[in-house]
Amino acid sequence: MQNARTFTPSADKSAILWRSFRTATWLGWQIESNWADPFLFAVYSFVKPLASAGILVIMYSVITGGAFDEPIFPYIYLGNAFYIYVGAVMNGVSWAVIDDREHYKTLKYMYVAPITVPGYLLGRGVARMLIGTISVAITVLFGVIFLNLPLSITTINWPLFFVTLIIGVIMLALLGLILAGITLMIANHVWFLGEAVAGALYVFSGAIFPLEVLPAWIRPVGFVMPITYWLELIRRALVGNIAAAFPTLAQLSDLQLLGILSGMTLVFGIGALVIFRWCENWARERGMIDMVSNY
Amino acid sequence: MDFAIQTENLGRIYKLRSTKKQETRTLEALKDVNLQVNPGEVFGLLGPNGAGKTTLIKILTTLLAPTNGYARVSGFDVLKDPEQVRRRINMVSGGESSGYGLLTVRENLWMFAQFYGIPSKVANERIKTLLERVGLVDRMNTKSSELSTGLRQKMNIVRGFLTDPDVLFLDEPTLGLDVGASREVRTFIRQWVENDPSRTLLLTTHYMVEADELCDRVAIINKGQVLACDTPAQLKHRLQKDVIFKLDVSPLNGMDLHELEDLRGVNNLTRTQLEGGTRLQLLLEDDSILGAVVNKLTSHNVQIQNLEKREPTLEDVFVDLVGRSMEEVESGSNAH
Ligand SMILES: Nc1ncnc2c1ncn2[C@@H]1O[C@H](COP(=O)(O)OP(=O)(O)OP(=O)(O)O)[C@@H](O)[C@H]1O
Ligand SMILES: [Mg+2]
């Protein structure tokens, strides 16, 4: 039998946040790496992104008559490759709500535990983010090797690339938290919510064509989305001369863009936490935290 | 001293979405619940299906907001201070197989200990001890998906005790367990509370025996209302001050039963004719009267073939309070 209390768990907020995040990361990795079928794992992380890149390349080739030397090709190809992160990270964070509530029936135990639920969900998303990283890397590598993507280790602005990547992942994770909150309020399976949102934002974020292609009245949607600035910075870091060929954000310096991205991440981040808290209360009032749809 | 659990006029109304758009029906799952549970108590909520037991546990564990009144656990308001409450509680529901099937029993438990901030070393020791106690230690490294439902439930019960909460909530802990396992769990619960008087345990059940054997106090709850709340002994005592004896005896040989009725302390006597004998039900003021009754019978050469003391059960108490047995209530509520 356990004896009297031998220690007191830390009640410090940052300690709680850290242990929620760390343990959830461990759990997420156990789940994601536990593919009963390694074949499925390969399909999910390599074949699927390569197939979608392949379709894009074929469509591009048909439409442009094989103009792979035009700057628009690396623009599209890289935008599409890095857009994989949008679905992977946003879904990774919000998916845990469904997974724990419906499948493992543990969400209520997580809520009863002294954890920070946003910290927990962000941790659960880490594994998906890493798998997403593999998909992105494979897709880019494929482009460099087989499609002459003008990417070279010496011309890449590595510091800008890593800073952008890290801020971007944080930004996407926080957007995922909003999705998680919405998921909490919906009783039925909404496994496609993350993909659906990612798909909807695809068009407005300059992922596969510059915003100038869109009618002027709809462009503001792109300009209020941090994803737009993030993708621009990624392109500038990887293929600076190509990015310069498109006018959308040309008047802004790298530093200005980084400032905008960081500022937006901060604003969206605070917003996401507020929204998540609000959704949580909504769910608690309606008894949905441990709701199992059973259908 | 602070109560471990305290509710005041606690109420919960569910909005039900009806298929017809016009009306939204509501369901009052809890109504004016006032409970005070002391530290060190094993407190039982006894009631039929749909009584509101789980709803009450969900409110007390911060999973569900009340629509009326308030509740405190370990001195903290469940609505205003959920973080404080969560640091001091844990909860297990029976009759469901929750947990991460891809993790082993040990990993599942270790992970939850991490969420509670318990150092790995302490956690691993506790896990081993607790698994030994429930006879699951040889399955420690089995994936929990490979456990039977009952064993999985045992793992979950261990998860509840593992974090050594001030207040532990168990929702139907023995639901679906076999007789032996249920008994083990009950013994364990008692010992856990007795080992440290600051621990409190609230459990729900619809087994009369469980409430009677295990709980220091029991609240009988039906249709969201607490009908009575007291020790099992007091609940039964309130119903019936006297003791009931059932005696099967050989033919009376013309003995006049008035001789028994006239004994001091015999409050009532009923007789039923049996094959080859008679059944007497005696209502006695207390146990000591029985000696005189037996003497009187043997002096007339009447042999006692069977003697049974029947005390009022919680079932009798429930019938007294609700007017129907729990079984009848449940089959009635299933019918709609
Ligand atoms: N989320 C919900 N929405 C609507 N009604 C609900 C909800 N949860 C419970 N109820 C209703 O509230 C009442 C009380 O339910 P509760 O689960 O608390 O009962 P219980 O005493 O735990 O029953 P059981 O012994 O079957 O577990 C029931 O009539 C139930 O149908
Ligand atoms: Mg219940």
Side-chain angles (χ1 to χ4, degrees):
Chain A
M1 203 73 206
Q2 63 272 63
N3 33 33
R5 320 281 144 91
T6 45
F7 67 95
T8 316
S10 175
D12 177 41
K13 273 201 159 55
S14 57
I16 294 175
L17 177 65
W18 171 236
R19 74 176 185 239
S20 309
F21 179 79
R22 172 172 48 89
T23 313
T25 303
W26 177 85
L27 173 61
W29 183 251
Q30 297 300 315
I31 292 172
E32 294 305 328
S33 65
N34 193 275
W35 292 77
D37 195 347
F39 175 75
L40 263 179
F41 180 81
V43 168
Y44 188 80
S45 47
F46 311 150
V47 181
K48 192 176 149 229
L50 283 181
S52 65
I55 291 169
L56 198 71
V57 169
I58 292 168
M59 276 167 41
Y60 176 86
S61 154
V62 168
I63 292 167
T64 64
F68 288 111
D69 293 333
E70 294 292 320
I72 187 74
F73 177 68
Y75 182 101
I76 291 176
Y77 194 87
L78 287 174
N80 177 68
F82 278 83
Y83 205 83
I84 291 173
Y85 268 123
V86 178
V89 176
M90 290 207 311
N91 246 338
V93 170
S94 60
W95 173 254
V97 169
I98 300 171
D99 219 15
D100 280 1
R101 184 163 62 183
E102 303 272 349
H103 183 194
Y104 301 116
K105 315 238 185 328
T106 47
L107 190 64
K108 61 179 167 181
Y109 298 126
M110 293 303 170
Y111 261 95
V112 169
I115 64 169
T116 312
V117 175
Y120 171 79
L121 293 175
L122 294 176
R124 283 290 298 273
V126 169
R128 291 264 187 119
M129 186 271 288
L130 292 175
I131 292 170
T133 304
I134 299 175
S135 306
V136 173
I138 299 253
T139 308
V140 173
L141 215 63
F142 182 87
V144 172
I145 296 170
F146 298 104
L147 301 169
N148 259 335
L149 215 56
L151 218 65
S152 124
I153 293 178
T154 50
T155 56
I156 291 174
N157 182 346
W158 290 104
L160 181 64
F161 175 70
F162 282 117
V163 169
T164 304
L165 195 63
I166 290 166
I167 298 176
V169 165
I170 294 171
M171 175 263 299
L172 292 171
L174 291 167
L175 291 181
L177 213 50
I178 298 177
L179 277 188
I182 294 168
T183 308
L184 210 48
M185 301 198 301
I186 304 177
N188 296 320
H189 293 283
V190 276
W191 53 269
F192 53 84
L193 188 65
E195 302 281 4
V197 171
L201 301 183
Y202 195 51
V203 191
F204 303 111
S205 60
I208 51 164
F209 46 76
L211 288 182
E212 279 73 30
V213 175
L214 293 171
W217 58 270
I218 214 167
R219 280 176 219 161
V221 178
F223 287 115
V224 296
M225 282 198 325
I227 299 174
T228 310
Y229 302 92
W230 178 65
L231 287 176
E232 171 73 9
L233 275 165
I234 289 280
R235 286 193 194 98
R236 285 196 189 184
L238 294 179
V239 286
N241 56 324
I242 301 257
F246 297 90
T248 316
L249 299 163
Q251 73 281 16
L252 295 168
S253 72
D254 292 355
L255 228 52
Q256 281 172 319
L257 277 177
L258 267 180
I260 292 172
L261 178 63
S262 309
M264 279 191 161
T265 301
L266 195 69
V267 170
F268 270 81
I270 293 168
L273 289 173
V274 171
I275 291 171
F276 185 78
R277 179 61 72 88
W278 185 86
C279 294
E280 225 174 23
N281 285 336
W282 196 94
R284 183 171 295 118
E285 266 159 29
R286 282 160 187 77
M288 294 185 72
I289 285 170
D290 64 337
M291 180 90 91
V292 175
S293 58
N294 276 334
Y295 299 118
Chain B
M1 190 175 54
D2 263 351
F3 292 112
I5 301 167
Q6 185 188 10
T7 72
E8 213 166 291
N9 299 330
L10 197 68
R12 172 69 210 196
I13 294 171
Y14 287 114
K15 286 206 180 73
L16 303 176
R17 270 199 224 127
S18 59
T19 36
K20 286 170 198 138
K21 294 149 247 156
Q22 315 101 320
E23 22 134 34
T24 43
R25 289 189 302 126
T26 58
L27 188 145
E28 198 161 17
L30 286 178
K31 191 178 176 192
D32 283 335
V33 173
N34 293 288
L35 289 177
Q36 280 120 30
V37 181
N38 298 305
E41 274 193 302
V42 176
F43 191 92
L45 292 172
L46 176 70
N49 290 144
K53 306 184 292 295
T54 300
T55 301
L56 181 54
I57 285 211
K58 282 198 210 173
I59 292 176
L60 294 176
T61 54
T62 76
L63 291 175
L64 179 70
T67 42
N68 212 355
Y70 74 84
R72 284 175 196 283
V73 174
S74 277
F76 292 98
D77 190 307
V78 293
L79 206 57
K80 291 183 196 134
D81 264 330
E83 281 92 8
Q84 294 290 345
V85 173
R86 286 173 196 163
R87 227 171 272 167
R88 291 165 175 81
I89 63 167
N90 205 341
M91 188 264 281
V92 180
S93 344
E96 53 157 50
S97 47
S98 63
Y100 297 91
L102 51 99
L103 301 180
T104 66
V105 173
R106 198 192 63 78
E107 286 169 334
N108 262 296
L109 295 170
W110 173 84
M111 181 188 74
F112 275 99
Q114 289 294 302
F115 283 130
Y116 281 80
I118 302 171
S120 271
K121 189 165 167 285
V122 181
N124 286 331
E125 276 164 19
R126 279 191 194 172
I127 289 168
K128 194 145 178 282
T129 322
L130 287 167
L131 288 178
E132 264 162 14
R133 283 298 314 270
V134 300
L136 207 60
V137 76
D138 54 328
R139 309 300 291 273
M140 191 152 93
N141 295 313
T142 306
K143 279 197 178 174
S144 65
S145 59
E146 288 161 18
L147 296 181
S148 69
T149 327
L151 293 181
R152 228 171 160 176
Q153 186 158 335
K154 277 190 180 178
M155 176 185 83
N156 273 316
I157 290 173
V158 168
R159 180 179 51 70
F161 289 102
L162 175 63
T163 63
D164 197 9
D166 291 347
V167 187
L168 178 56
F169 296 90
L170 301 177
D171 194 1
E172 317 244 6
T174 60
L175 186 70
L177 293 183
D178 63 36
V179 183
S182 301
R183 198 183 305 117
E184 277 168 32
V185 168
R186 285 200 286 270
T187 314
F188 189 79
I189 290 173
R190 274 268 37 129
Q191 287 180 352
W192 185 76
V193 173
E194 276 158 18
N195 268 6
D196 182 342
S198 69
R199 291 168 173 163
T200 308
L201 196 141
L202 182 141
L203 66 92
T204 74
T205 182
H206 55 245
Y207 303 131
M208 300 288 177
V209 187
E210 193 159 291
D212 205 343
E213 264 181 27
L214 191 55
C215 300
D216 296 315
R217 283 197 300 145
V218 173
I220 293 180
I221 174 169
N222 189 43
K223 291 188 179 159
Q225 281 181 291
V226 174
L227 303 175
C229 175
D230 215 326
T231 64
Q234 282 295 325
L235 283 171
K236 290 180 288 191
H237 192 70
R238 211 187 281 176
L239 183 69
Q240 192 108 37
K241 280 208 208 100
D242 312 288
V243 279
I244 310 164
F245 279 101
K246 197 173 74 184
L247 275 79
D248 291 349
V249 297
S250 64
L252 291 170
N253 303 329
M255 177 191 169
D256 187 357
L257 285 177
H258 284 298
E259 280 188 57
L260 288 180
E261 283 181 320
D262 289 346
L263 287 171
R264 195 184 315 151
V266 177
N267 287 349
N268 198 344
L269 185 150
T270 55
R271 63 179 285 180
T272 335
Q273 205 57 45
L274 293 180
E275 253 182 277
T278 305
R279 169 166 296 170
L280 306 172
Q281 300 231 40
L282 293 134
L283 218 73
L284 306 180
E285 244 159 52
D286 61 69
D287 290 349
S288 63
I289 319 289
L290 187 65
V293 172
V294 173
N295 281 342
K296 197 54 107 195
L297 287 167
T298 41
S299 74
H300 285 274
N301 276 329
V302 176
Q303 282 155 15
I304 296 167
Q305 290 159 342
N306 191 18
L307 173 101
E308 210 177 280
K309 181 177 171 184
R310 199 175 89 74
E311 290 200 73
T313 61
L314 285 182
E315 180 77 53
D316 297 320
V317 178
F318 186 87
V319 173
D320 184 55
L321 289 167
V322 178
R324 291 194 292 166
S325 75
M326 213 149 96
E327 234 169 70
E328 287 168 334
V329 171
E330 292 194 342
S331 60
S333 65
N334 287 347
H336 71 68

